[in-house]
Amino acid sequence: MAVVLAVTALLVIPKWKAAINNGGQMPREPFRIAGNLYYVGTRDVTSFLLTGPAGHVLIDGGYPGTAPMILQNIATLGFHITDVKILLNSHGHFDHAGGLAALQQASGAQLWVSTGDADMVSSGGASPRNVAPLNWLVYIGLMKYPVPRVNHQFRDGAQISLGPIHLTAHVTAGHTPGCTTWAFPVQDGNRELLAVIVGSLSLPMPACLFDWKYDAALRHELERSFVMLRSLPADIYLSSHARPFSLKRKFEERTTANDPVASFIDRTGYLEDITKAEAAFRKALKEQQQ
């Protein structure tokens, strides 16, 4: 039996790893959201490009297998990957940090990662504070990703600038120890809009799996994150995944609207999603306590 299991693992694991290398992601047409802010990600896992005269900033690297899609999207828009000077990350999971190494190699950019997620990114997905089942998948190679070079670490509230581009890092921990929400002004015509890219508000792991528990530190991180996010005067609501901010619908709306930016100005949806995420957390916590 042990031999059969070993042989099965040897046959299945490489195929599984190949299948999850890009998470089934499909290309999405890149486009300008507002001002100097562009969408360059895939159908579901997002990446954003901020352009400027001193160079560009690229936020999130997608899966290991989707880096070529991001590179192609940047080129399709008429920009050069070598003009990307700063790489940023929402959090250190496989589907958002997996392509950073390839993007860094292509661009030569400096990578900034939060202190809380730096060990995860610099180890290809592992971290002592990561959820145990995810670490197990990393250790057997299924969710380990190519390791980028972390050039700089930052803490909550850090300001990162490149010429006229100015971003503020808000560490909204919970999904990962250093999960980061990025906020930055975008000048669109005669209006200045605050764009907010939420790192992730989903729970690290369903409480029913592996008898996993929310400890006091994690509860505190999540509760703090909900309060902090509500305090941001977000105009343009974005996220590390497309579905939370309804990218497909908003993209379709912009093609027929008199004001293409208007569909992405969605403070109501932003606040509603924070409320939904907090309700899911409270429900899981209540089930755990029972």
Side-chain angles (χ1 to χ4, degrees):
M1 178 61 70
V3 173
V4 172
L5 290 174
V7 171
T8 301
L10 288 172
L11 293 173
V12 171
I13 288 178
K15 293 181 180 180
W16 188 9
K17 182 171 176 59
I20 65 175
N21 196 47
N22 70 358
Q25 292 296 304
M26 299 294 290
R28 174 174 286 282
E29 176 187 347
F31 64 96
R32 187 175 74 90
I33 297 172
N36 64 330
L37 171 62
Y38 297 83
Y39 186 83
V40 294
T42 60
R43 289 283 180 89
D44 175 60
V45 179
T46 64
S47 291
F48 302 94
L49 183 71
L50 275 169
T51 63
H56 311 327
V57 177
L58 180 60
I59 305 172
D60 261 353
Y63 286 89
T66 60
M69 298 182 196
I70 297 171
L71 292 171
Q72 180 59 56
N73 283 347
I74 292 171
T76 297
L77 290 169
F79 301 112
H80 301 288
I81 185 60
T82 51
D83 289 330
V84 173
K85 304 303 180 185
I86 292 178
L87 284 174
L88 301 177
N89 180 230
S90 62
H91 58 282
H93 283 163
F94 185 80
D95 51 344
H96 303 281
L100 289 174
L103 294 168
Q104 187 178 49
Q105 183 176 12
S107 65
Q110 299 274 300
L111 173 61
W112 292 72
V113 177
S114 68
T115 300
D117 275 12
D119 60 342
M120 189 185 304
V121 174
S122 61
S123 64
S127 169
R129 291 187 64 199
N130 198 11
V131 179
L134 296 182
N135 267 345
W136 178 78
L137 290 173
V138 172
Y139 292 141
I140 66 172
L142 286 179
M143 297 188 73
K144 184 175 177 62
Y145 52 78
V147 176
R149 181 180 64 260
V150 177
N151 303 103
H152 308 281
Q153 296 184 32
F154 61 81
R155 296 185 183 278
D156 182 43
Q159 302 279 327
I160 298 175
S161 299
L162 181 64
I165 300 173
H166 304 286
L167 303 102
T168 301
H170 298 283
V171 175
T172 46
H175 187 69
T176 65
C179 187
T180 305
T181 290
W182 294 101
F184 48 91
V186 174
Q187 193 68 37
D188 188 78
N190 61 359
R191 57 186 171 183
E192 183 175 279
L193 304 167
L194 183 68
V196 176
I197 305 174
V198 178
S200 181
L201 293 178
S202 63
L203 303 176
M205 180 67 66
C208 61
L209 296 180
F210 304 94
D211 195 30
W212 189 71
K213 303 295 183 184
Y214 295 96
D215 60 24
L218 179 57
R219 292 200 301 270
H220 174 74
E221 288 175 346
L222 287 165
E223 288 167 350
R224 176 188 173 280
S225 295
F226 296 135
V227 171
M228 196 287 303
L229 287 169
R230 287 194 177 95
S231 74
L232 294 178
D235 296 308
I236 297 176
Y237 167 37
L238 306 168
S239 173
S240 58
H241 284 272
R243 183 170 292 181
F245 67 98
S246 305
L247 173 60
K248 182 176 183 295
R249 173 179 61 80
K250 291 176 179 177
F251 174 77
E252 292 171 350
E253 288 176 355
R254 68 180 289 281
T255 60
T256 58
N258 293 327
D259 179 7
V261 178
S263 59
F264 284 89
I265 299 176
D266 186 16
R267 179 161 181 79
T268 299
Y270 171 77
L271 293 173
E272 286 177 350
D273 278 358
I274 295 169
T275 299
K276 289 177 184 177
E278 184 172 15
F281 162 65
R282 299 292 178 196
K283 179 181 178 183
L285 186 61
K286 182 177 179 180
E287 291 172 351
Q288 172 184 304
Q289 292 170 339
Q290 291 176 344

